[in-house]
């Protein structure tokens, strides 16, 4: 896909929920101490790890909560493992710790949301989210899932949960395991490009009569 | 001769070429293959696609899953390693604080420039595109016609390798037999879009892209490109054998380690170096083209970015190929007693009439494409088909409300997932999670179509660049200050694009996820965003009304040529790179002729 088409479209499709009301989180923690990103000319060939370019944010306890939340958002099934098994919680840590404007904005949504989850879990279940029973974890997720009207008590949590879900899904499905789960086949050299299967073309009532 | 340092430059060259992208690469190729001794100066670092391209790296290996950041605006793996919308220490400014009146400038400071990440869309301008004023009374005619450029389009296509077909469509030129490579098969979403486009009167045909769908004919092509030049034929044949055909994986924007697509660094520079006639100096920022008493250029003065020291090099001819606006900046910064307003600027037109392409985007979800049987859709790492402009009759009748046309690029299919959440409907605004999230993600993956319109902008008096009176870069050189305005012709065209895309999505049985806007000013991409920067040193028939003549030579200085997109007198909807290369080849041929005649 043309890179511009791809980026435009992915932004339109995937990040439509980026909209944040900046005033709601005016008191949010400032970004991590890193003031610079990876620069214009980073090594494109090596496999980079979260924490390599800027310090991470999560404490061990928060990291456990994030992993548990990742696994409620993307639990294991017969086709793929859970999100934390693919390190998605570390990707989210890398994301909210990054010095770039889009990530700094997300940080102001994610960190207050995680604090809300922790507070509610302790108040209701008497323990950290990561130590709550699965049905307790799910009940909190169910509470955050509906769209909350502006100004309502659940506004912070609702907006947080949508953004968290999108980040977790982005992190999950962009790993080799996640891509396979999604149904992506490619990134391997081929001797020929065969185009779509003939029976699929027929099933959709299409023809491939162009002079190629 | 090869990659050199300031201390190993020769005392004098036949030609100094400023820039190493499509224009600089082509000019250096043509000149050196014919025996001219050339120095190429590049403001960025050396760059070797064969060892530096992240061919199979997956998003999980990149920071932030490879998503775009201000450091890498087209994603971590994009081939741009020396710039983007910002270049540290080298700013530019806009005169207006109104975003609608600003220009975004994309610069790739690296060997090969922007060709390294280029989308490889290689469309020819048609006959109308060189004479737009004659058709509708707007803008400028070029001093040359399609017939003047056609032989050079043929040559460039044979050299770089372009896939496509002959369709016989109006103002969408066919290439002669044997010039194009076969196009890749269409993807399933492209076939669906094509079928449904026909219902609303839009033609969809294979696009022309600079990607090798099979190896180049290394026996047949070299004698056609270099008749009577055995050495050039031998070098080119050898180089063509070293370019592999596409292996149908990885995105072209990352660059290509197997040299299956065109980059200046994979196609122009290797054979030019093999002639032994080319020296390349990277990290060299040219700051001035000095002139002698007679008003002829003597060479260039450049700054070695590694040391900050200034150097001079002499040449019989100077070719400016720094990118349209960077060439403007260099000319305006080359002030002398003879040319107090800048080199070649007696007309006062250097920097005027800069152009970009009109861009507007839209997307939809297509239920017919849900849950398809899994298959590989990577293809040629970019578009396989597109819709050329089709409303010529309405355009001529003046019923559209805007004067110029656009073509449509669109993407479908199951590309490699990047660091974006896959689309799920989230019915009623409720955030889907758990088992249902995985199910929905699988179901909807690859069921989208994304459209981008690419339209012609008409030159106007309010879109230009000049030297900023106050701001200098870290080398002390005055920077460019931009002025920009889209006219109603462009904003109405952008609104028309979005309406067309919404209709097209409906014709595909799809869902427009939002309602299209009627206000073109809100739909149109900012100036510069499409990175089709041309104009600023336009060619023409007379000195007072243009900067260069029909051969891309500046009217004022007989041994200075502009090889980049600066000479464009109009910016057709066709992507400019192929035309830049064709005109650079043509200018280089002219330089060789004039040198042989003793005129240069």
């Amino acid at each position: 896909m043309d890179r511009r088409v791809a980026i435009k479209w992915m932004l339109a499709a995937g990040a439509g929920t980026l909209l944040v009301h900046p005033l709601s989180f005016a008191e949010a923690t400032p970004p991590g101490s890193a003031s610079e990103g990876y620069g214009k000319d980073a090594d494109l060939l090596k496999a980079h790890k979260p924490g390599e370019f800027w310090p991470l944010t999560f404490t061990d306890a928060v990291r456990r909560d994030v992993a548990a939340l990742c696994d409620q958002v993307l639990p294991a099934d017969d086709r793929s493992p859970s999100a934390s098994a693919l390190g998605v919680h570390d990707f989210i840590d890398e994301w909210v710790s990054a010095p770039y404007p889009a990530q700094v904005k997300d940080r102001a949504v994610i960190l207050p949301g995680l604090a809300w989850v922790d507070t509610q879990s302790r108040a209701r279940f008497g323990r950290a989210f990561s130590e709550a029973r699965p049905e307790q974890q799910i009940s909190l997720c169910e509470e955050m899932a509906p769209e909350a009207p502006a100004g309502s008590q659940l506004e912070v949590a609702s907006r947080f949960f949508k953004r968290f879900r999108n980040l977790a899904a982005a992190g999950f499905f962009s790993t080799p395991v996640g891509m396979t789960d999604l149904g992506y086949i490619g990134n391997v050299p081929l001797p020929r490009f065969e185009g779509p299967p003939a029976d699929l073309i027929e099933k959709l009532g299409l023809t491939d009569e162009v002079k190629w | 001769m090869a990659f050199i340092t300031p201390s190993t430059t020769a005392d004098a060259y036949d030609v100094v070429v400023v820039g190493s992208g499509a224009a600089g690469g082509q000019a250096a190729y043509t000149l050196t293959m014919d025996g001219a001794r050339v120095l190429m100066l590049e403001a960025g670092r050396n760059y070797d696609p064969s060892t530096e391209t992240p061919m199979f790296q997956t998003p999980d290996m990149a920071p932030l899953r490879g998503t775009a950041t201000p450091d890498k605006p087209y994603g971590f793996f994009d081939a741009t390693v020396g710039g983007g919308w910002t270049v540290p220490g080298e700013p530019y400014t806009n005169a207006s604080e109104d975003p609608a009146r600003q220009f975004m400038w994309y610069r790739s400071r690296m060997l090969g420039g922007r060709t390294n990440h280029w989308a490889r869309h290689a469309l020819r301008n048609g006959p109308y595109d060189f004479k737009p004023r004659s058709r509708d009374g707007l803008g400028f005619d070029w001093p040359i016609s399609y017939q003047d450029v056609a032989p050079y389009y043929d040559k460039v296509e044979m050299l770089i390798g372009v896939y496509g077909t002959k369709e016989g469509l109006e103002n969408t030129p066919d290439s002669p037999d044997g010039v194009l490579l076969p196009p890749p098969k269409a993807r399933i979403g492209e076939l669906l879009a094509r079928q449904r486009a026909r219902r609303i009167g839009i033609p969809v045909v294979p696009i022309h892209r600079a990607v090798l769908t099979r190896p180049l004919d290394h026996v047949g092509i070299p004698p056609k490109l270099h008749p009577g030049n055995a050495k050039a034929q031998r070098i080119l044949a050898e180089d063509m054998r070293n370019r592999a055909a596409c292996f149908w994986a990885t995105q072209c924007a990352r660059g290509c380690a197997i040299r299956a697509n065109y980059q200046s660094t994979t196609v122009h520079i290797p054979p030019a170096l093999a002639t032994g006639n080319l020296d390349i100096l990277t990290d060299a920022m040219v700051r001035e083209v000095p002139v002698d008493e007679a008003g002829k250029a003597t060479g260039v003065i450049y700054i070695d970015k590694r040391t900050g020291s200034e150097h001079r090099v002499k040449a019989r001819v100077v070719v400016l190929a720094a990118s349209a606006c960077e060439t403007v900046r260099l000319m305006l910064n080359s002030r002398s007693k003879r040319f107090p307003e800048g080199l070649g600027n007696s007309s006062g037109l250097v920097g005027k009439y800069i152009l970009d392409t009109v861009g507007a985007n839209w997307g939809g979800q297509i239920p017919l494409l849900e849950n398809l049987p899994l298959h590989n859709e990577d293809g040629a790492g970019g578009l396989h088909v597109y819709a050329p402009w089709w409303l010529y009759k309405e355009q001529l009748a003046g019923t559209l409300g805007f004067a110029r046309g656009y073509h449509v690029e669109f993407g479908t299919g199951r590309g490699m997932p990047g660091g974006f959440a896959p689309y799920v409907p989230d019915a009623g605004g409720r955030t889907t999670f758990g088992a249902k999230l995985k199910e929905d993600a699988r179901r909807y993956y690859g069921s989208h179509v994304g459209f981008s319109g690419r339209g012609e902008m008409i030159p106007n008096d309010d879109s230009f660049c000049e030297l900023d009176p106050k701001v200098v870069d870290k080398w002390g050189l005055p920077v460019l200050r931009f002025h920009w305005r889209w006219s109603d012709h462009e904003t109405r065209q952008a609104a028309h694009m979005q309406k067309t895309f919404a209709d097209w999505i409906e014709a595909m049985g799809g869902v427009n996820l939002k309602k299209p806007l009627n206000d073109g000013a809100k739909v149109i991409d900012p100036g510069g965003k499409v990175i089709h920067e041309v104009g600023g040193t336009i060619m023409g028939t007379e000195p007072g009304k243009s900067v260069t003549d029909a051969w891309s030579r500046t009217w004022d200085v007989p041994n200075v040529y502009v090889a980049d997109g600066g000479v464009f007198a109009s910016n057709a909807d066709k992507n400019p790179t192929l035309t830049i290369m064709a005109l650079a080849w043509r200018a280089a041929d002219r330089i060789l002729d004039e040198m042989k005649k003793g005129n240069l």
Side-chain angles (χ1 to χ4, degrees):
Chain A
M1 187 186 280
D2 173 276
R3 67 180 192 282
R4 293 170 196 153
V5 175
I7 289 165
K8 280 279 175 192
W9 177 236
M10 294 307 267
L11 282 172
T17 45
L18 256 173
L19 300 169
V20 216
H21 297 185
L23 290 181
S24 316
F25 304 110
E27 75 289 2
T29 353
S33 57
S35 57
E36 287 182 3
Y38 48 67
K40 295 282 181 186
D41 195 6
D43 185 343
L44 304 186
L45 302 181
K46 72 170 279 203
H48 299 282
K49 295 265 180 283
E52 192 179 314
F53 290 107
W54 45 82
L56 300 177
T57 299
F58 296 161
T59 62
D60 287 347
V62 172
R63 188 169 176 269
R64 282 194 297 273
D65 280 354
V66 171
L69 200 52
C70 278
D71 289 351
Q72 291 305 342
V73 168
L74 290 147
D77 67 3
D78 55 352
R79 274 173 66 167
S80 59
S82 73
S84 72
L86 299 182
V88 171
H89 50 305
D90 290 329
F91 158 68
I92 292 176
D93 197 356
E94 176 195 43
W95 187 278
V96 301
S97 308
Y100 300 109
Q103 283 74 22
V104 168
K105 249 185 181 178
D106 280 345
R107 180 184 181 92
V109 176
I110 298 297
L111 296 191
L114 290 173
W116 186 91
V117 168
D118 181 60
T119 307
Q120 295 300 318
S121 182
R122 289 181 191 281
R124 298 182 200 190
F125 318 130
R127 63 194 80 181
F129 183 80
S130 60
E131 286 156 19
R133 290 198 305 276
E135 61 272 22
Q136 291 173 327
Q137 293 178 347
I138 290 171
S139 72
L140 262 195
C141 292
E142 295 284 0
E143 197 171 329
M144 292 187 283
E147 204 164 19
S152 74
Q153 278 198 328
L154 278 170
E155 194 188 357
V156 171
S158 170
R159 188 178 298 124
F160 154 74
F161 192 60
K162 176 142 289 188
R163 191 67 201 122
F164 186 92
R165 188 280 311 267
N166 282 344
L167 283 176
F172 182 85
F173 289 111
S174 54
T175 61
V177 171
M179 287 180 203
T180 305
D181 179 17
L182 205 52
Y184 171 67
I185 298 186
N187 206 32
V188 288
L190 300 173
R192 280 175 305 282
F193 180 68
E194 305 282 6
D199 54 350
L200 174 60
I201 295 176
E202 197 182 338
K203 188 183 141 201
L204 292 184
L206 301 172
T207 47
D208 185 11
E209 86 282 19
V210 186
K211 300 174 267 181
W212 31 61
Chain B
M1 299 184 124
F3 290 96
I4 58 164
T5 65
S7 62
T8 55
T9 49
D11 288 339
Y13 291 86
D14 292 326
V15 184
V16 166
V17 175
V18 182
S20 65
Q26 183 64 63
Y29 171 90
T30 302
L31 293 165
T32 57
M33 289 295 252
D34 211 47
R37 294 171 63 254
V38 173
L39 173 66
M40 170 187 275
L41 295 155
E42 164 55 48
R45 73 164 171 87
N46 194 359
Y47 173 73
D48 180 3
S50 67
T51 59
E52 297 195 53
T53 310
M55 292 298 277
F56 294 101
Q57 273 74 358
T58 47
D60 58 312
M61 300 163 84
L64 306 174
R65 293 298 200 258
T67 52
T69 65
D71 279 332
K72 297 282 294 204
Y74 288 97
F76 187 74
F77 292 127
D78 181 84
T80 306
V81 299
W85 299 115
T86 58
V87 175
E90 302 184 38
Y92 61 89
T93 64
N94 272 286
S96 172
E97 287 181 9
D98 176 0
R101 303 294 301 272
Q102 295 184 348
F103 182 80
M104 304 169 69
W105 193 19
Y106 196 93
R107 294 167 290 173
S108 290
R109 295 272 197 252
M110 62 193 293
L111 193 68
R114 292 177 294 198
T115 68
N116 293 300
H117 91 145
W118 176 42
R120 277 80 181 177
H121 300 154
L123 304 176
R124 294 183 178 211
N125 277 6
Y128 305 165
D129 301 324
F130 290 99
K131 305 292 174 191
R133 187 177 181 85
S134 297
R135 270 177 70 76
D136 61 21
L138 300 168
F140 309 107
D141 283 348
W142 298 52
I144 53 177
S145 67
Y146 177 71
Q147 282 68 31
D148 294 314
V149 187
Y152 289 99
Y153 281 136
D154 296 351
K155 292 206 263 191
V156 171
E157 287 172 354
M158 283 190 272
L159 173 68
I160 70 177
V162 174
Y163 68 67
T165 49
K166 297 167 66 169
E167 300 289 334
L169 294 170
E170 185 173 9
N171 197 39
T172 305
D174 290 333
S175 305
D177 283 333
V179 169
L180 297 177
L181 303 168
K185 282 183 165 284
R187 302 174 179 97
I188 193 71
E190 291 169 331
L191 287 177
L192 180 68
R194 178 171 175 277
Q195 181 199 54
R196 302 308 171 91
R198 204 180 288 141
R199 296 181 187 175
I200 52 173
I202 302 174
V204 171
V205 297
I207 197 170
H208 292 209
R209 281 185 77 235
V211 177
L212 305 188
T213 50
R214 67 176 183 213
L216 286 167
D217 175 6
H218 65 269
V219 177
I221 294 173
K224 286 182 190 154
L225 298 186
H226 302 287
N229 184 342
K231 181 186 172 189
Q233 290 177 28
R234 178 177 52 73
I235 288 169
L236 181 57
E238 175 68 23
D239 198 70
M240 283 184 165
R241 274 198 297 270
N242 290 332
R243 291 187 63 198
C246 182
F247 56 30
W248 313 109
T250 82
Q251 300 139 336
C252 291
R254 296 179 177 207
C256 193
I258 64 167
R259 302 172 65 194
N261 65 29
Y262 166 80
Q263 306 170 226
S264 176
T265 39
T266 59
V267 176
H268 282 137
I269 291 173
L273 279 172
T275 63
N277 295 325
L278 179 64
D279 277 354
I280 299 177
L281 197 53
T282 56
D283 301 294
M285 179 76 191
V286 177
R287 51 153 288 211
E288 186 182 339
V289 179
V291 291
D292 61 17
E293 291 294 312
K296 281 183 74 176
T298 56
V300 297
I301 301 171
Y302 66 90
I303 295 159
D304 174 10
K305 285 181 160 183
R306 284 166 292 207
T307 62
S309 57
E310 199 172 283
H311 303 263
R312 274 169 192 264
V313 63
K314 284 186 238 162
R316 291 161 70 189
V317 181
V318 175
V319 171
L320 303 179
S323 88
C325 294
E326 197 70 65
T327 288
V328 165
R329 182 180 173 211
L330 174 54
M331 290 173 76
L332 295 180
N333 271 328
S334 298
R335 279 168 292 194
S336 57
K337 218 184 297 170
R338 175 98 182 197
F339 299 111
E341 301 304 318
L343 184 90
N345 193 25
S346 64
S347 63
L349 291 177
V350 170
K352 300 295 193 291
Y353 308 118
I354 56 169
L355 297 159
D356 188 29
T357 290
V358 179
N361 309 282
W362 198 244
Q365 195 268 329
I366 314 293
L368 276 171
L369 298 176
E370 289 171 20
N371 276 328
L372 295 188
L374 310 186
H375 62 280
N376 187 319
E377 296 203 286
D378 279 358
L383 301 192
H384 292 186
V385 301
Y386 82 123
W389 175 239
W390 66 101
L391 296 171
Y392 284 103
K393 217 197 299 172
E394 293 81 352
Q395 185 179 42
L396 205 57
T399 57
L400 293 170
F402 56 94
R404 302 284 169 81
Y406 62 89
H407 72 260
V408 185
E409 302 171 2
F410 61 96
T412 68
R414 301 161 165 250
M416 184 157 80
F420 297 92
Y423 168 79
V424 293
D426 284 345
R430 189 180 184 282
T431 300
T432 305
F433 70 98
K436 176 92 165 93
L437 173 59
K438 281 187 170 177
E439 284 163 25
D440 278 0
R442 291 164 190 151
R443 170 178 169 181
Y444 294 104
Y445 165 59
S447 70
H448 291 85
V449 59
F451 293 98
S452 289
R454 293 288 177 254
E456 176 165 356
M457 173 190 178
I458 299 165
N460 68 60
D461 291 337
D462 298 324
S463 298
F464 64 98
C465 56
E466 60 190 348
L467 293 181
D468 190 296
K470 293 191 195 116
V471 183
V472 297
D473 68 9
K474 68 176 163 185
W475 315 108
L477 304 177
V479 307
L480 284 182
R481 180 169 70 178
F482 289 93
H483 301 253
W484 191 260
R485 183 176 64 83
W486 293 118
S487 78
D488 290 347
H489 285 293
E490 288 87 34
T491 54
R492 287 180 192 152
Q493 185 196 55
H496 190 275
M497 289 175 183
Q498 205 168 74
K499 171 77 168 58
T500 298
F501 303 156
D503 292 348
W504 197 340
I505 287 163
E506 280 181 24
M508 291 173 78
V511 184
N512 278 293
L513 300 171
K514 285 185 290 183
K515 224 171 124 52
L517 302 165
N518 292 320
D519 183 355
K522 289 186 178 142
V523 166
I524 198 165
D525 276 337
K529 183 75 197 304
V530 181
I531 321 182
H532 289 172
E533 154 208 345
V534 299
T537 54
I538 64 170
M539 61 161 63
T541 49
E542 46 185 311
K545 296 183 174 174
S546 54
V547 177
T548 81
D549 67 12
W551 298 98
S552 309
R553 175 160 81 165
T554 59
W555 288 111
D556 295 347
V557 190
N559 62 339
V560 173
Y561 286 72
V562 177
D564 56 39
V567 298
F568 280 39
S570 75
N571 189 13
D573 71 273
K574 283 83 169 183
N575 311 54
T577 310
L578 190 75
T579 302
I580 289 173
M581 289 191 261
L583 294 178
W585 195 321
R586 186 170 173 271
D589 269 1
R590 179 73 171 186
I591 291 167
L592 290 163
D593 276 354
E594 294 286 299
M595 285 199 299
K596 278 170 200 161
K597 288 181 192 155
N599 294 338
L600 284 171

